[in-house]
Amino acid sequence: MSSSRSPNNRGGRARSLAAGGLVLAVVAELSSVGLLGLSGWFISACAVAGAATFSSFSYIAPSGGVRAFALARVAGNYSKRLVLHAAALRRVATARAGLFDRAAGADRAQADGLWSGELLDRSMADADSAGMALIECTTPVAVTAALTVAAVLAVEVSTSIVPAAVLAAGVVVMAVIAHRTPGTAREAEQHTRKALRAELVTAVDAWTELASLGAAEQLAARTTARFTRLDAAREAAGRRRYRTRLVNGLIGTATLTATAAIGTGSAPDAPTFVFVALLSLGVLAQAEQLATATEARATAKAAHRRLTASAPNSASDTAVPEIRSWSTEHGIGFADYPLPPMALRPGRVLGATVPRGAMLVVTGRSGSGKSTLLRALASSLRQATEGRGGRPAVVAVAADDHLFTGTLGSNWRLADTALTDDEIDERLAQLRLNDSGLTVTTPVGPGGRQLSGGELRRVYLGRALARHPYVLIVDEPTTGLDERTARHVLGILQNLPDTTVVLALHDVPASLELSGHVTQLPLDHRGP
């Protein structure tokens, strides 16, 4: 019962923290503007009193008010930073946790490889944008609204309703202009920057091949064109921001001038006029921040829309057919699996059973549907079974698996956080990765680009083996491996007595003798 209430309690605490931060932000800005207005009034009143021959002006109460506003501003600014940043970080953490929950759910329900590394990085950035909207967007809007109401009331009490109405009208017009200038230019700039980054990464990876094809000049021209588009997008965004700030600055200046001019006749004395002018200046300066807040709001809305939309497929994903599968303590099986349309024999129905500790080798030429079958089987088994004793029910190694930027050890510890450096070195030796000089501290680069294709396949496999699953599904485990290393890797997979293994290969190698322990399932033979 308590566990079911904990998410609601956490959500309530997060909302309370955000509300408290907004209140502190309003108090801090009210104190700042109040300090500005009261200080101006106090200095003017002192000057007037000093110029008079006889004056009964008392500075004690106003000076106390100035000190009170100053202390409130310092304390409010410090407290709002602590509380607002804590609330924003909670929102970011919640968005990231929800992102991984959705990724895990989508992976079980649909297919492996659904969330690519690039998509995950973008989604993490979206989670940060959505969480930080509290500071970048909500707080400036709430503070501007509260300051405007307080200042309008203060100006009306000090002078008359006319200058107060002018001040309110000026802030409203500035808010409308900011609202009508959403962050489309900023979004376009970010999109162009992402495209350029992807182009540069691809160019670096494929430079040797492209140079051998004589395509270096074309690649340079494409990259130069993308740089040009990025510069143009930046200039467009800068011009739009400049126009908005210029218009709002002119409106603010006009509003301040009109408020001061009208207030001159309504103010009972010079100190009151100074108070009204400085108070209006503070409010209008705060209102100029609405343009930046509007950009942040547009970015946060786009991020929230992407985070809450259905999980998109990566470019390599295809529809996964339905499959009926089962898993028991004696092994796994599936039946009634129709080969998809892209297979060489579409419409053919397959089925197989694999004893616990045995191996099923799915063979076929490219396009025969091997990867699709493995994804469907992994998804179906995950939905039908659960791990026991801390072991996962199914771990799948896709042909296009992903490594995170960092070291080899940090990637393997994603599978088992308890792995020590010595244990990782032992696993590296088992997979003969130490022959290539790989260690626990070897950096893998973005997406594993610092490793060769054969090294990547074994690193993926080693990370999966660290989970010690009941069912291990591997797509093309020998890609990029020489014959000797391929035999060694297949020997490791063939000797997992407590794990059922399903492989996808073009052909069954001679090192895997077909027996009761190793079964072949061809997808493209010409039989019925």
Side-chain angles (χ1 to χ4, degrees):
M1 189 71 174
S2 59
S3 61
S4 64
R5 288 198 305 263
S6 58
N8 292 333
N9 292 338
R10 287 195 297 268
R13 288 195 295 270
R15 287 190 292 271
S16 300
L17 198 62
L22 289 176
V23 171
L24 289 171
V26 169
V27 169
E29 295 304 324
L30 283 174
S31 300
S32 298
V33 176
L35 177 63
L36 179 65
L38 183 59
S39 298
W41 179 89
F42 184 48
I43 294 172
S44 302
C46 288
V48 172
T53 306
F54 300 100
S55 175
S56 60
F57 175 72
S58 174
Y59 65 87
I60 297 177
S63 63
V66 170
R67 292 184 178 91
F69 274 129
L71 291 175
R73 183 187 66 170
V74 173
N77 280 325
Y78 179 74
S79 301
K80 82 167 184 182
R81 288 191 181 95
L82 290 180
V83 178
L84 280 177
H85 279 84
L89 288 176
R90 286 200 180 193
R91 290 190 172 194
V92 171
T94 301
R96 288 182 173 182
L99 169 67
F100 282 108
D101 287 343
R102 289 176 58 246
D107 183 69
R108 288 193 297 271
Q110 299 178 19
D112 297 301
L114 183 65
W115 289 80
S116 66
E118 180 184 357
L119 178 59
L120 185 59
D121 290 341
R122 188 192 72 186
S123 300
M124 293 288 280
D126 285 341
D128 293 345
S129 298
M132 294 304 291
L134 174 65
I135 294 177
E136 298 176 349
C137 172
T138 307
T139 299
V141 172
V143 167
T144 302
L147 281 181
T148 302
V149 172
V152 167
L153 292 176
V155 171
E156 181 184 0
V157 171
S158 302
T159 57
S160 67
I161 193 173
V162 179
V166 171
L167 176 61
V171 173
V172 169
V173 172
M174 294 173 70
V176 170
I177 292 176
H179 180 72
R180 292 175 61 86
T181 312
T184 52
R186 184 177 181 180
E187 286 286 310
E189 178 186 352
Q190 292 176 348
H191 177 76
T192 307
R193 185 184 295 111
K194 291 176 183 177
L196 174 61
R197 184 165 56 245
E199 180 86 6
L200 290 176
V201 170
T202 303
V204 171
D205 287 345
W207 179 258
T208 304
E209 292 82 355
L210 290 171
S212 65
L213 293 173
E217 293 185 3
Q218 294 90 321
L219 179 61
R222 281 171 54 90
T223 305
T224 302
R226 289 199 180 275
F227 270 114
T228 303
R229 283 196 290 270
L230 177 60
D231 289 339
R234 284 176 172 173
E235 290 179 3
R239 287 194 300 269
R240 192 162 190 171
R241 295 189 191 103
Y242 175 76
R243 286 196 300 267
T244 302
R245 291 171 182 169
L246 177 62
V247 172
N248 271 343
L250 293 175
I251 294 174
T253 302
T255 302
L256 179 62
T257 303
T259 303
I262 298 173
T264 301
S266 304
D269 49 36
T272 301
F273 166 75
V274 173
F275 168 76
V276 169
L278 292 179
L279 194 66
S280 302
L281 177 63
V283 174
L284 294 170
Q286 176 64 37
E288 289 185 0
Q289 299 182 20
L290 292 177
T292 304
T294 303
E295 283 193 358
R297 176 175 175 269
T299 302
K301 285 182 65 177
H304 180 73
R305 184 170 57 252
R306 288 190 292 264
L307 288 172
T308 54
S310 299
N313 292 339
S314 62
S316 60
D317 289 332
T318 56
V320 178
E322 294 291 335
I323 185 173
R324 181 169 64 87
S325 67
W326 59 89
S327 176
T328 68
E329 60 181 7
H330 303 295
I332 66 168
F334 66 93
D336 304 329
Y337 174 74
L339 285 179
M342 76 283 295
L344 298 182
R345 304 275 296 181
R348 184 175 161 217
V349 178
L350 301 177
T353 58
V354 192
R356 181 178 179 181
M359 177 184 290
L360 175 67
V361 182
V362 181
T363 60
R365 292 173 288 181
S366 298
S368 59
K370 301 188 301 296
S371 299
T372 304
L373 170 58
L374 263 59
R375 288 199 299 268
L377 182 60
S379 176
S380 179
L381 287 174
R382 284 195 181 105
Q383 296 179 66
T385 61
E386 294 183 358
R388 300 177 296 275
R391 294 175 60 188
V394 183
V395 169
V397 181
D400 55 350
D401 214 332
H402 181 73
L403 288 184
F404 290 92
T405 303
T407 64
L408 192 150
S410 66
N411 273 276
W412 276 13
R413 288 191 177 101
L414 292 174
D416 183 0
T417 56
L419 282 176
T420 64
D421 289 355
D422 291 339
E423 289 173 335
I424 293 177
D425 287 334
E426 290 178 6
R427 293 175 184 270
L428 290 172
Q430 180 188 20
L431 293 167
R432 294 184 177 174
L433 285 166
N434 60 338
D435 295 344
S436 304
L438 301 186
T439 67
V440 63
T441 59
T442 299
V444 300
R449 294 188 183 93
Q450 292 186 208
L451 305 180
S452 68
E455 290 170 346
L456 274 176
R457 295 306 297 159
R458 285 177 284 169
V459 169
Y460 297 151
L461 184 59
R463 184 172 60 185
L465 291 173
R467 295 290 288 147
H468 192 42
Y470 285 97
V471 181
L472 176 62
I473 299 176
V474 188
D475 193 359
E476 301 290 352
T478 59
T479 300
L481 302 181
D482 58 77
E483 184 178 354
R484 175 173 171 270
T485 306
R487 286 198 307 268
H488 178 74
V489 168
L490 291 176
I492 293 174
L493 295 175
Q494 195 174 357
N495 291 281
L496 298 175
D498 200 27
T499 298
T500 303
V501 180
V502 180
L503 304 182
L505 295 170
H506 287 288
D507 296 293
V508 177
S511 58
L512 283 181
E513 297 182 0
L514 297 180
S515 62
H517 185 70
V518 179
T519 305
Q520 181 186 10
L521 179 64
L523 298 188
D524 57 356
H525 75 76
R526 299 305 175 182

